[in-house]
Amino acid sequence: MKLEELRFGTELLKRGFASMQKGGVIMDVVNADQAVIAEESGAVAVMALERVPADIRKAGGVARMADPGIILEIIDAVSIPVMGKVRIGHFVEAQVLESLGVDMIDESEVLTPADEQFHIDKKQFTVPFVCGARDLGEALRRIHEGAAMVRTKGEAGTGNVVEAVRHMRNIMGEIRGLQGRNDQEIIDRARDLEAPPDILLETVRMGRLPVVNFSAGGIATPSDAALMMQLGADGVFVGSGIFLSAEPERMARAIVEAVNHFEEPSVIASVSKGLGEAMKGLDVHTLREDEVLQYRGR
Amino acid sequence: MFTLSGKMRCSSIVGVKIGVLALQGDVSEHISAFSLALKATGRETGSEIIAVRKAAQLSDLDGLAIPGGESTTISRLIQKNGMYDPIISFDGGIFATCAGMVLLASCVDDPRIKTLALIDIDVQRNAFGRQRESFEADLEVAGLAGPFHAIFIRAPVVTRAAPGVEVLARIDSGIVAVAQGRHMALSFHPELGDDLRMHQKFIQKLEK
């Protein structure tokens, strides 16, 4: 087998990587110690950040890609995949993360957007991307740009699951509503959704998004995680919910178990016992419009 | 009309019951690959494929697939769900891909993973590197006519295979497919492509 006969960075490898994350919990971490706790608690991957979303909200100012030093420390500390966030449209931050060896890049509304018109042309990269979406049109636009995984945007850093629920119901409900329609009607709907018609046809045929679909943005308890799984998520991202809770290690293990047993209320009950306080949380309706992260990128 | 179930014979073809360990990873891909492989070889009748979440479901299976995913996570969930000993004493064949291969090995380069030691091999995790080093390649596989297009994702490699282990495929840096008894372990992911020959090879083993 000669090296030149190998193919790297194909669509199949990118989507395949995302498939390996299914049924798993991906946890935000800000240093190597947290990454080790996440791995030992059963996380399938970690998201390396400088601050968790709730602290990004507090800090204000422009939120950017994390310091490469932090990312490398985390890469060295764990054997599970390491993901990192870049600003929407900031393809140079993405090039930097790829060069560091990050396994998947999150083009994320949690950071301050760098481009208000264009998302990153993700097909130019060897590593796969995950992107946020609030509805089916947005999800399919991201897939068209090369995203190998979609996640609900939810409302990051609030510890309030309501927006993640809204976005997951939007996506799944729209797909269900299109079942049984003919191609002409589906293509017509693609215009309203501002979605690429071919990907919409594929989605309706499959009865689901053609890439792995996770939930993110406000998951703070084992029940929140199981709720998103029952609504159709393939897995969950937990941001501030773990390391801003009273007992991060127990919360991490409990959320992993709740995702594994998402249809067994008695298991969710037992892992939720005496977990201590979940993160404080924010009512989404009290946010000013410029504080709402999900409106970034569309 | 006869109703066929379980392992009853339908002309000369025997139905098989296959479970896919559904704790984490690409479970649905294995279920659809097995379902297509059974259909392609006319074994649908009397056959069944199920997602296995509990030890009790293992009892009447002919075969068990351990899918790709994160081996540290799956290992933890196998223990947490009381499935470690039941899988070791499972008397059917096991078909393991990627993380599954890591779990079937005797020894792996990560002390946090409690392997099942069902195939006498040593395995190195993430042997080719990180996701950017994941690749597709055409492999020569023992017993298959023509190359198999294999998908390697943060794949492991076999660094030692005991004398009783049959080596099915190699790549420069090591062994990437093995069989021992009715078990098969692959570094790559046949469930992600549309070539069903590895799944069919396993089904044939179950019938012997």
Side-chain angles (χ1 to χ4, degrees):
Chain A
M1 184 68 53
K2 294 190 196 75
L3 211 63
E4 49 277 16
E5 288 166 12
L6 308 183
R7 290 163 60 204
F8 298 91
T10 62
E11 210 52 41
L12 189 54
L13 290 166
K14 290 175 177 176
R15 291 185 182 189
F17 169 82
S19 288
M20 298 311 142
Q21 308 294 308
K22 289 196 299 182
V25 181
I26 300 169
M27 302 181 191
D28 278 5
V29 298
V30 301
N31 57 44
D33 291 343
Q34 289 186 354
V36 169
I37 291 173
E39 183 175 43
E40 284 174 355
S41 305
V44 289
V46 291
M47 178 72 69
L49 290 162
E50 206 153 297
R51 294 189 184 96
V52 294
D55 291 336
I56 290 176
R57 275 185 192 284
K58 268 187 223 150
V62 175
R64 310 179 179 93
M65 168 188 85
D67 181 329
I70 296 178
I71 292 170
L72 286 172
E73 240 176 66
I74 292 169
I75 285 178
D76 286 340
V78 295
S79 67
I80 54 177
V82 175
M83 305 184 179
K85 284 189 195 292
V86 301
R87 287 179 265 176
I88 290 172
H90 206 314
F91 53 85
V92 172
E93 285 188 347
Q95 292 164 1
V96 170
L97 290 195
E98 179 169 76
S99 81
L100 293 174
V102 160
D103 297 292
M104 182 175 242
I105 296 172
D106 184 358
E107 184 180 20
S108 176
E109 70 284 359
V110 169
L111 306 182
T112 310
D115 191 323
E116 294 189 332
Q117 189 172 4
F118 294 103
H119 278 70
I120 296 172
D121 179 4
K122 294 167 269 289
K123 293 191 170 146
Q124 302 303 317
F125 288 77
T126 303
V127 291
F129 279 73
V130 53
C131 288
R134 294 188 300 153
D135 53 44
L136 185 59
E138 197 172 352
L140 300 190
R141 289 194 291 278
R142 298 295 88 80
I143 294 168
H144 180 69
E145 293 157 0
M149 185 192 224
V150 165
R151 56 170 176 77
T152 58
K153 283 181 168 173
E155 189 54 38
T158 61
N160 187 340
V161 79
V162 64
E163 295 301 302
V165 168
R166 189 192 318 280
H167 300 162
M168 189 57 78
R169 284 194 183 279
N170 277 347
I171 292 171
M172 306 304 277
E174 182 75 42
I175 296 173
R176 274 191 296 270
L178 290 171
Q179 296 300 315
R181 304 273 189 95
N182 67 27
D183 286 8
Q184 208 176 11
E185 291 164 337
I186 294 167
I187 291 165
D188 185 56
R189 183 66 186 142
R191 269 195 290 274
D192 301 333
L193 293 173
E194 297 177 62
D198 51 332
I199 308 181
L200 184 62
L201 285 166
E202 186 188 0
T203 301
V204 176
R205 208 163 26 240
M206 292 173 74
R208 58 156 295 144
L209 288 182
V211 301
V212 167
N213 180 22
F214 267 48
S215 187
I219 295 165
T221 67
S223 297
D224 286 351
L227 172 67
M228 298 317 301
M229 295 298 288
Q230 287 200 24
L231 287 173
D234 292 317
V236 300
F237 284 88
V238 187
S240 323
I242 288 172
F243 289 99
L244 292 184
S245 70
E247 291 188 60
E249 197 166 343
R250 289 191 57 201
M251 183 62 88
R253 285 169 192 261
I255 291 180
V256 169
E257 289 226 18
V259 167
N260 185 226
H261 298 279
F262 69 93
E263 288 175 313
E264 296 172 71
S266 60
V267 177
I268 301 166
S270 112
V271 301
S272 302
K273 261 185 247 163
L275 271 186
E277 211 161 325
M279 69 177 284
K280 178 87 161 57
L282 273 176
D283 181 353
V284 182
H285 304 288
T286 64
L287 297 176
R288 290 195 319 267
E289 191 168 328
D290 62 319
E291 294 174 324
V292 180
L293 303 178
Q294 58 179 286
Y295 298 157
R296 296 169 165 180
R298 64 167 298 284
Chain B
M1 279 295 286
F2 295 100
T3 316
L4 294 175
S5 69
K7 296 175 194 174
M8 278 176 70
R9 280 177 180 277
C10 166
S11 64
S12 63
I13 293 164
V14 184
V16 289
K17 186 166 178 183
I18 296 172
V20 179
L21 189 66
L23 300 178
Q24 191 271 316
D26 68 336
V27 176
S28 62
E29 287 80 352
H30 269 285
I31 291 177
S32 54
F34 272 117
S35 130
L36 290 172
L38 288 167
K39 204 176 273 180
T41 53
R43 288 182 179 83
E44 286 164 287
T45 317
S47 289
E48 200 185 341
I49 306 161
I50 62 163
V52 174
R53 295 178 166 274
K54 292 192 161 60
Q57 293 172 289
L58 292 169
S59 59
D60 62 340
L61 296 180
D62 300 301
L64 175 71
I66 305 184
E70 277 310 311
S71 50
T72 47
T73 307
I74 300 176
S75 170
R76 205 175 166 278
L77 291 172
I78 284 176
Q79 293 170 65
K80 199 86 194 164
N81 293 350
M83 299 181 89
Y84 186 80
D85 293 326
I87 295 176
I88 286 181
S89 49
F90 175 63
D91 64 357
I94 299 182
F95 183 70
T97 64
C98 197
M101 174 193 253
V102 172
L103 292 165
L104 278 202
S106 301
C107 192
V108 59
D109 60 334
D110 188 329
R112 290 165 304 182
I113 298 171
K114 191 178 173 196
T115 62
L116 298 153
L118 290 169
I119 297 186
D120 195 2
I121 50 172
D122 293 351
V123 165
Q124 185 193 345
R125 292 176 67 212
N126 304 334
F128 299 94
R130 308 194 65 81
Q131 174 59 17
R132 66 180 175 204
E133 280 89 37
S134 292
F135 61 95
E136 296 181 32
D138 288 324
L139 276 186
E140 294 303 327
V141 178
L144 293 190
F148 188 91
H149 189 70
I151 299 146
F152 291 85
I153 296 175
R154 288 172 50 98
V157 132
V158 176
T159 52
R160 178 196 66 88
V165 175
E166 185 189 354
V167 174
L168 299 175
R170 288 174 187 275
I171 209 166
D172 280 354
S173 37
I175 299 164
V176 294
V178 294
Q180 187 172 28
R182 293 203 290 172
H183 303 328
M184 275 173 75
L186 316 175
S187 299
F188 49 94
H189 293 280
E191 74 278 13
L192 294 179
D194 41 24
D195 189 340
L196 304 167
R197 288 177 294 165
M198 300 307 295
H199 286 80
Q200 284 165 357
K201 200 175 165 75
F202 174 68
I203 294 167
Q204 281 157 11
K205 272 179 181 295
L206 297 180
E207 292 180 338
K208 276 177 194 159

